[in-house]
Amino acid sequence: MVSERCCQQIRAIPLRLFILGGCAVAVVYNVMTPSLQGFMRSPLDCPSAKLAPTAFLEHASSGVAAPFKQYRSAPMEDYILKHTKELGYQTAGTNASLGCNLWYNKTTSPIYDDLHKFESELAEYYRRVRNFTSPFPDLRRALVSSATDTDGLSVCDSLELHPDGLVGGIFQSQQLSETTRVGFVEPLLPSLRHPGFCSDKRKFLMNLDYMVHDFAAMCRRMSRTSRTVFVDMGASLDFHGAKTSPAMTLINLYAQFGIPFDHIYAYEVTPTAPDKVFRLLPGELDAAYHWINVPVDPNPDGARNPLRMLLENYGPDDLIVVKLDIDTPSVEMPLVQQLLNDTRLHVLVDQFYFEHHVRMAEILPWWGRQVDGSIHDSLTLFYALREKGVASHHWV
């Protein structure tokens, strides 16, 4: 019979040592708690020998240390990033490159068929999204431990769009990328937005149906006490005459999956009367909406720096979504670099949406002169953010 003192010594051994020492044996996985197994739904991976300081996070639902997985890019994404020079994406100066050749020219690359298979799977994914209604208006209220569901995992499983998951059931081509903390996302691809943009630019210019969100995975790292935060930098609600701004479409999508936002910090430089803002705002968001009608400050120490505000008021247990689209590279890029370089933000910001204006020929008529960098620069920037733990998406 093992003594209590021995048990205490065993419990004191860091979980990291168990995982590193047991990568080659399935026994380790079998003895993990159910919550940790739920967090590691993909095959057990050996962590890198050089683990970052943030390599182990707290699994919010259970209090169990869970591994900060390495980012895994989809095969198509990996191919493109390794061949940006051959694809013509490494332009310099004012030269622009074509981002759409990949989609309609079979001789451009060996991934032509993969791209179009992914596009058809994406359409099926959004068909299921449109038909989905969460059984929980606010999933946090359902994340209550019980004898039969210790970690609330059945709540999170209810957000799956297919019984076999996103990869096993919908994206069978295996062309999704996997983030470090919040599950699967769409691969990084030109045209830096919906694939349909390459065939019908005006129809798909503002279409958001290209981003993939793994809401079940997001749920698995939340708890009943998690706060939900949306930071909108460039928050005009009167959006080019459209009925609904893209940001509101995104907010509604999260709510559809049982993740309403408690706090929405809306930064907008254009002077707008608050009464107009709240006339345009859906009534159910009144209590959460903070209208901040001033410019954002790109200085990390600035009082109006939104990322500093997050660092001072929120923690890794909270679900934090950031959207950046203020059409001013001199302000945007310092904020992106702050997000890229501050390790505290890597475990704080879960999802990041950014319209990165670069020299892609097909979209220059809309972006005009407010561009800086190449398609290569954009793809590698978003890849670097994803590697750091921030699930980043090209925005419209």
Side-chain angles (χ1 to χ4, degrees), residues 64-231:
V64 176
F68 188 9
K69 299 183 294 184
Q70 289 184 326
Y71 173 64
R72 294 194 290 188
S73 56
M76 289 190 305
E77 177 183 315
D78 191 54
Y79 173 85
I80 291 170
L81 285 163
K82 289 178 179 176
H83 296 85
T84 56
K85 184 175 182 179
E86 297 91 323
L87 293 169
Y89 296 157
Q90 295 187 27
T91 53
T94 59
N95 296 323
S97 56
L98 294 169
C100 287
N101 275 349
L102 208 62
W103 289 92
Y104 54 74
N105 187 342
K106 291 185 177 182
T107 64
T108 301
S109 77
I111 62 170
Y112 177 87
D113 291 336
D114 294 326
L115 287 165
H116 290 277
K117 173 65 173 174
F118 171 74
E119 189 174 11
S120 66
E121 293 172 338
L122 193 63
E124 171 61 15
Y125 167 77
Y126 270 96
R127 185 191 70 79
R128 290 174 178 266
V129 167
R130 285 190 291 271
N131 292 329
F132 180 82
T133 300
S134 172
F136 308 103
D138 188 333
L139 61 84
R140 290 169 295 180
R141 296 180 181 178
L143 291 175
V144 181
S145 295
S146 68
T148 57
D149 188 18
T150 307
D151 304 303
L153 293 180
S154 64
V155 174
C156 300
D157 289 344
S158 72
L159 303 183
E160 295 282 10
L161 292 172
H162 190 283
D164 296 325
L166 290 177
V167 170
I170 302 175
F171 294 92
Q172 296 185 11
S173 65
Q174 311 291 305
Q175 292 291 353
L176 289 183
S177 297
E178 188 174 11
T179 67
T180 64
R181 295 183 293 133
V182 291
F184 293 102
V185 291
E186 75 282 358
L188 296 170
L189 305 169
S191 58
L192 313 184
R193 54 190 60 216
H194 196 288
F197 174 78
C198 288
S199 57
D200 192 333
K201 294 178 177 58
R202 293 192 179 276
K203 179 179 178 181
F204 289 96
L205 178 67
M206 303 305 299
N207 191 307
L208 297 181
D209 292 357
Y210 62 92
M211 292 184 245
V212 174
H213 296 92
D214 193 342
F215 287 106
M218 283 187 247
C219 171
R220 291 183 188 107
R221 61 160 302 272
M222 294 176 67
S223 72
R224 186 168 184 171
T225 59
S226 296
R227 292 169 292 180
T228 51
V229 182
F230 186 87
V231 176

Side-chain angles (χ1 to χ4, degrees), residues 78 81 92 94 100 142 206 239 289 310 352 361-362 392-394:
D78 191 54
L81 285 163
T94 59
C100 287
M206 303 305 299
F239 198 84
Y289 205 78
L310 291 174
F352 178 57
E362 293 90 342
S392 302
H393 312 261
H394 284 99

Side-chain angles (χ1 to χ4, degrees), residues 148-340:
T148 57
D149 188 18
T150 307
D151 304 303
L153 293 180
S154 64
V155 174
C156 300
D157 289 344
S158 72
L159 303 183
E160 295 282 10
L161 292 172
H162 190 283
D164 296 325
L166 290 177
V167 170
I170 302 175
F171 294 92
Q172 296 185 11
S173 65
Q174 311 291 305
Q175 292 291 353
L176 289 183
S177 297
E178 188 174 11
T179 67
T180 64
R181 295 183 293 133
V182 291
F184 293 102
V185 291
E186 75 282 358
L188 296 170
L189 305 169
S191 58
L192 313 184
R193 54 190 60 216
H194 196 288
F197 174 78
C198 288
S199 57
D200 192 333
K201 294 178 177 58
R202 293 192 179 276
K203 179 179 178 181
F204 289 96
L205 178 67
M206 303 305 299
N207 191 307
L208 297 181
D209 292 357
Y210 62 92
M211 292 184 245
V212 174
H213 296 92
D214 193 342
F215 287 106
M218 283 187 247
C219 171
R220 291 183 188 107
R221 61 160 302 272
M222 294 176 67
S223 72
R224 186 168 184 171
T225 59
S226 296
R227 292 169 292 180
T228 51
V229 182
F230 186 87
V231 176
D232 188 357
M233 290 182 267
S236 175
L237 292 174
D238 193 6
F239 198 84
H240 305 319
K243 292 182 179 180
T244 304
S245 74
M248 291 305 305
T249 299
L250 189 64
I251 288 169
N252 292 337
L253 176 66
Y254 277 80
Q256 180 185 347
F257 280 81
I259 306 177
F261 288 106
D262 305 323
H263 299 280
I264 302 171
Y265 297 97
Y267 293 82
E268 174 57 45
V269 66
T270 304
T272 310
D275 64 333
K276 178 181 179 181
V277 172
F278 282 88
R279 282 200 307 269
L280 294 169
L281 192 70
E284 64 269 19
L285 297 181
D286 283 354
Y289 205 78
H290 309 272
W291 176 245
I292 307 171
N293 203 185
V294 296
V296 300
D297 188 346
N299 182 348
D301 297 321
R304 293 174 178 169
N305 181 288
L307 299 178
R308 175 187 171 184
M309 179 274 295
L310 291 174
L311 286 167
E312 292 177 348
N313 293 281
Y314 296 98
D317 183 50
D318 302 314
L319 182 75
I320 297 178
V321 176
V322 175
K323 189 218 91 182
L324 176 59
D325 183 15
I326 55 180
D327 298 336
T328 308
S330 61
V331 177
E332 291 174 329
M333 293 314 297
L335 290 163
V336 174
Q337 290 301 320
Q338 181 184 357
L339 181 58
L340 183 64

Side-chain angles (χ1 to χ4, degrees), residues 50-64:
K50 296 182 179 179
L51 291 168
T54 55
F56 281 75
L57 307 176
E58 194 73 6
H59 189 305
S61 297
S62 62
V64 176

